[in-house]
Amino acid sequence: MDSRLHVEMGVLGCIILRPDILQDVAMLVRPDEFQGEANRMLFEQMMKIHDAGRRMDAVLLVDNLRRDGVYVKLGGAAFLGRVVAAALPLLLVWMALFHGVILNIANNSVK
């Protein structure tokens, strides 16, 4: 798989796992910037939820994908599983960085 497509999937997976970041991603990325058609379609569905003023979550996302006839076209649960799996390395890096910042703050406050 192309590394850019994998990164796209990772970002989308992070949104599924941490829906609160959708607003931040939406300010930086437009659907037409996704190279992968399936990734673009998934992000468009996420943005539909966001633009409707609803809090995105996995259940609502799957419901919308099914309602709009996109779920099967994307590859269903298998595709969404790959998307979430692609997010794990990104989340681990984020957690490590966050942990490092917290330790730095704690160490500096002890002095």
Side-chain angles (χ1 to χ4, degrees):
M1 173 184 295
D2 182 322
S3 61
R4 175 173 171 121
L5 297 179
H6 191 73
V7 170
E8 289 178 2
M9 290 174 79
V11 170
L12 295 169
C14 286
I15 296 169
I16 291 171
L17 295 171
R18 294 282 319 269
D20 55 302
I21 69 169
L22 178 56
Q23 175 66 36
D24 295 329
V25 175
M27 293 187 328
L28 300 171
V29 181
R30 294 184 323 269
D32 64 353
E33 293 178 301
F34 284 87
Q35 286 186 352
E37 182 181 0
N39 296 341
R40 179 187 49 76
M41 291 169 63
L42 181 57
F43 189 64
E44 286 173 344
Q45 290 291 322
M46 292 173 170
M47 290 305 300
K48 280 184 183 180
I49 294 168
H50 174 268
D51 293 345
R54 300 186 71 190
R55 181 166 166 26
M56 209 279 302
D57 64 42
V59 173
L60 182 58
L61 179 61
V62 169
D63 287 346
N64 281 13
L65 291 169
R66 285 186 171 139
R67 184 196 67 228
D68 291 351
V70 180
Y71 184 75
V72 172
K73 185 175 183 178
L74 291 178
F79 172 72
L80 293 177
R82 287 192 306 276
V83 167
V84 169
L88 298 179
L90 296 175
L91 289 175
L92 290 173
V93 168
W94 177 82
M95 288 171 54
L97 291 172
F98 181 74
H99 183 70
V101 168
I102 297 301
L103 285 177
N104 189 30
I105 291 169
N107 289 336
N108 287 331
S109 68
V110 172
K111 295 178 183 177

